[in-house]
Amino acid sequence: MDKLETIPSEKWPLLRELYERDWPQNVLPYYLLDNIIRWNGIDSKFVSENIEVKCLNGDFTDGTFYFLQDNDLFFYSLENGDKKKLARLLELVIGTRDFFWTNYTYKRDLQTLDKVVELKSWTKTFVESTKFYFMPREKALSLDTSLSIPENFSVKPLSNKDLEFAHSLYPYRDEVTLQFFQMLHKFNKNLGLYKSDNLLSWCLLHQPNSFTALQTHDTFQRKGFGTIVLRNLAKSLATEGKDSFAIIVDGNEKSSQLFTKEGFDCIDEVYNIKIEPKIDKIKKK
């Protein structure tokens, strides 16, 4: 009988190495695993209590695994063809929560997800299509970060207080996003542009290390401040040997133009999807 088995943390580097192939096709699972390995070194108690990394029957030789934190589900596989193993993995995990947000789902895995959702009598209640923008570290190293910054301006990581300020202006904030921001702030790199001690523009990095919440205070928009933050963050990552990338919601032309102008290439389509049981299934219970 098939079962879900935890992948021990000491084997996460082996799983990560599988995703080095066909670069940059597998950027998302590679950096998701790279981050969780690093997070585990910072606070193993948090990781063990809040995050699941599992595979089917203890076998991840084809890269098939999922990462689950609360209701955030990331799943990836190097399977070819009909991806039966990935489908079976999803069959077993769907139903262990009341709902899931399947985050950063590659277009190539949508058909598998759709089949399992239908098989489990679940449904997609929200679908957000995005474009995946990527800049290799070699290119980011050549970015010009010497843009003219007025006196008393500086680029530096956000303080805890300023993180709360950034969250207060985040247009998609809800009752859980502050806690999420605090987690990203604790584990991942972030940068803000300051005038004296006042935060003007900022950016965080998501679980898989993608740029997120890139925002400039309304009063200071259209001054190139977001570009300063983007360039400095990308170059900082590159000095650590890391690539830069972001997902941009379809229709967000402002962000698409910014990342394109700075030299990012659109290389894939990625989806964020909410799935939950069909209403008639809930009623039968």
Side-chain angles (χ1 to χ4, degrees), residues 36 71 155 228 238 246:
I36 196 61
N71 294 82
V155 177
I228 293 173

Side-chain angles (χ1 to χ4, degrees), residues 40 81 87 94 97 124:
N40 197 49
I94 291 177
R97 298 284 195 278
K124 295 187 291 187

Side-chain angles (χ1 to χ4, degrees), residues 106-123:
Y106 282 121
K107 182 180 181 180
R108 61 181 183 254
D109 293 326
L110 276 184
Q111 186 176 11
T112 302
L113 177 64
D114 287 345
K115 288 180 179 179
V116 176
V117 166
E118 183 62 29
L119 177 67
K120 300 289 287 188
S121 296
W122 278 41
T123 187

Side-chain angles (χ1 to χ4, degrees), residues 74-136:
F74 300 76
F75 60 89
Y76 299 102
S77 179
L78 294 169
E79 271 188 297
N80 294 316
D82 56 10
K83 299 190 176 184
K84 290 183 179 180
K85 189 174 178 181
L86 178 60
R88 184 59 179 149
L89 181 84
L90 292 173
E91 283 181 44
L92 294 179
V93 69
I94 291 177
T96 62
R97 298 284 195 278
D98 292 334
F99 66 90
F100 291 97
W101 283 99
T102 66
N103 293 321
Y104 292 77
T105 301
Y106 282 121
K107 182 180 181 180
R108 61 181 183 254
D109 293 326
L110 276 184
Q111 186 176 11
T112 302
L113 177 64
D114 287 345
K115 288 180 179 179
V116 176
V117 166
E118 183 62 29
L119 177 67
K120 300 289 287 188
S121 296
W122 278 41
T123 187
K124 295 187 291 187
T125 55
F126 177 86
V127 178
E128 181 180 70
S129 58
T130 76
K131 297 296 187 296
F132 184 67
Y133 284 80
F134 175 79
M135 176 182 285

